[in-house]
Amino acid sequence: MKSKMQIFLKRWWLMAVVLVLTVIVAVVLQNIQKTELINRTGQTFEKGVVTAILRDNLQADGTRVGDQLVEVEMTTGVRRGETLQMTSSSGYLFGAACTEGMHVIVMQSVAGDTTVASVYSQDRGNILILFALLYLAALVVIGGWQGLKGALGLAFTFLAILYLYLPLVYLGWSPLWTAVLLCAVTTAVTMYLIGGAALKTVVASAGTVAGVVVAGLMATIFGWATGISGWNVSDIETLITLWNTNGINVGELLFAGLLISSLGAVMDVAMSVASSMAEVLAQNPGMHRTALFASGMRIGRDMMGTDSNTLILAFAGGSISMLLLDYAYDLPALQILNSNNIGIAVMQGLAGSFGVVLAVPLTVALATLLYTARRSATV
């Protein structure tokens, strides 16, 4: 029992130190004093349950016009337990098609005894959490111990973006280089969880970081050649507010987002190549370095196409509504190809795919060098 405990501590002490330091930094960063951009004094978002529909807006043809007048029993906030009358808009972005018993989010402003409230949306929080838990459960049930470690790595990455990356960028750190740092840290943690303290973990981590950096470089070159930058994004007018108030370099956010979005695909390729090459060498310890490199490249080529398609299709899918509008309005091809939105989508898809493709030879070369060097040192 003691020997197993020693092995456990030897393997996970470094991970424990990293997690403790990460938590400490995250807690410190939560004390940031933010610049108030909108005065929300007295305004809160609370939960409630629709108890009655006083005036409906459902038309004979099934459409909704105007708004509903509903009664909502508040379940949180200063009006908890009270039943309030409010409207629910029929808009696509705000409001909800209320029915009795529906759980909703209420936007309310309280000033003394006066309360102004309206239905903001259907309460989706519990459903979102449920689906996330179902995904994690499926990952653990099907993937077993490795699935659990993968889920922990995913959770770490998500929390690192929320509690490390966003606060650091808000404080004025470079969005691009902070994204590189984030990718390096989350890659190391995820790879260590999946591969443990093994040489393949080092190879996969280095290959992932190299591939992500390549993606960033290709995006930078593409942007320079085409005149596309982070200042061409559709929500730049809102982002400029952050530039004026906090000095945040919002122009780098586009490229930082590209690095983070391509991380998963590059990580998948790097770990698959590193693990496969380690297994090939374990089955044939006397394999020559050239043969090992060639074997690694054959393995990597089978992954290039699918993972590159994953990124390109992901960005294309995110732009599908814009593409449909372009098609419906029958816009000229020259206008579509030279629009900022299409240029950004193409840049994101291709730059990320460059990272995936070039991560293969980089990972294969590093694996060949380190695996055979260890073999020579052993001999």
Side-chain angles (χ1 to χ4, degrees):
M1 180 65 68
K2 184 177 179 180
S3 61
K4 290 183 178 180
M5 181 60 68
Q6 289 176 339
I7 293 173
F8 179 83
L9 293 175
K10 183 178 179 181
R11 178 175 181 180
W12 296 107
W13 74 267
L14 180 59
M15 180 61 62
V17 171
V18 171
L19 291 178
V20 169
L21 292 176
T22 302
V23 170
I24 292 174
V25 174
V27 170
V28 172
L29 289 175
Q30 301 319 301
N31 297 321
I32 295 175
Q33 296 297 321
K34 297 182 182 179
T35 303
E36 187 178 43
L37 301 177
I38 300 176
N39 186 359
R40 297 186 181 275
T41 304
Q43 183 186 84
T44 59
F45 287 83
E46 308 295 348
K47 294 183 178 182
V49 180
V50 178
T51 57
I53 309 295
L54 303 180
R55 184 187 70 241
D56 208 349
N57 60 350
L58 184 64
Q59 307 300 303
D61 60 359
T63 61
R64 293 185 178 274
V65 178
D67 53 30
Q68 294 173 301
L69 181 64
V70 300
E71 284 187 347
V72 176
E73 181 181 350
M74 304 302 298
T75 57
T76 64
V78 297
R79 297 291 185 251
R80 179 179 180 180
E82 299 181 24
T83 299
L84 305 178
Q85 285 190 12
M86 62 189 70
T87 59
S88 178
S89 172
S90 62
Y92 292 105
L93 297 179
F94 305 105
C98 295
T99 57
E100 290 188 16
M102 175 183 287
H103 291 257
V104 294
I105 300 298
V106 174
M107 182 173 64
Q108 67 177 24
S109 297
V110 179
D113 295 331
T114 304
T115 301
V116 178
S118 61
V119 175
Y120 177 75
S121 70
Q122 181 179 348
D123 185 1
R124 307 183 182 98
N126 292 335
I127 301 299
L128 294 177
I129 294 173
L130 175 61
F131 269 82
L133 292 177
L134 286 175
Y135 165 72
L136 295 177
L139 189 61
V140 173
V141 170
I142 298 175
W145 177 237
Q146 287 296 94
L148 176 61
K149 291 188 289 186
L152 292 175
L154 177 62
F156 178 85
T157 301
F158 180 72
L159 294 175
I161 293 174
L162 290 182
Y163 296 107
L164 293 179
Y165 180 75
L166 296 181
L168 288 174
V169 171
Y170 187 84
L171 288 174
W173 286 42
S174 166
L176 181 61
W177 290 108
T178 305
V180 173
L181 176 63
L182 175 78
C183 290
V185 173
T186 55
T187 296
V189 171
T190 303
M191 293 298 189
Y192 191 89
L193 284 170
I194 295 174
L199 191 56
K200 69 178 181 181
T201 301
V202 176
V203 172
S205 299
T208 299
V209 174
V212 169
V213 170
V214 166
L217 290 175
M218 295 307 299
T220 302
I221 294 172
F222 186 96
W224 172 79
T226 59
I228 291 177
S229 70
W231 301 97
N232 302 124
V233 295
S234 58
D235 53 353
I236 187 60
E237 297 296 334
T238 306
L239 290 172
I240 284 179
T241 303
L242 297 179
W243 180 47
N244 292 328
T245 58
N246 295 79
I248 298 174
N249 187 353
V250 297
E252 292 185 2
L253 289 174
L254 174 65
F255 302 100
L258 186 147
L259 296 185
I260 296 173
S261 62
S262 63
L263 177 61
V266 178
M267 190 183 298
D268 177 47
V269 168
M271 177 51 91
S272 298
V273 170
S275 181
S276 299
M277 290 182 66
E279 184 64 25
V280 167
L281 191 60
Q283 297 300 320
N284 188 4
M287 178 178 287
H288 191 270
R289 179 175 293 180
T290 304
L292 180 62
F293 181 87
S295 179
M297 287 302 299
R298 285 194 294 271
I299 294 171
R301 289 191 187 103
D302 290 337
M303 303 173 186
M304 286 182 185
T306 54
D307 283 296
S308 295
N309 287 343
T310 298
L311 283 175
I312 291 177
L313 292 176
F315 287 117
S319 305
I320 198 69
S321 57
M322 175 183 61
L323 293 174
L324 180 60
L325 285 173
D326 292 342
Y327 176 82
Y329 281 98
D330 198 21
L331 299 183
L334 281 178
Q335 179 182 355
I336 295 174
L337 291 175
N338 291 281
S339 66
N340 287 328
N341 290 335
I342 292 297
I344 290 173
V346 171
M347 179 193 72
Q348 289 175 324
L350 291 181
S353 296
F354 264 113
V356 169
V357 171
L358 295 182
V360 169
L362 293 172
T363 305
V364 169
L366 185 60
T368 302
L369 178 64
L370 294 183
Y371 290 171
T372 55
R374 182 180 63 176
R375 180 182 60 188
S376 301
T378 303
V379 175

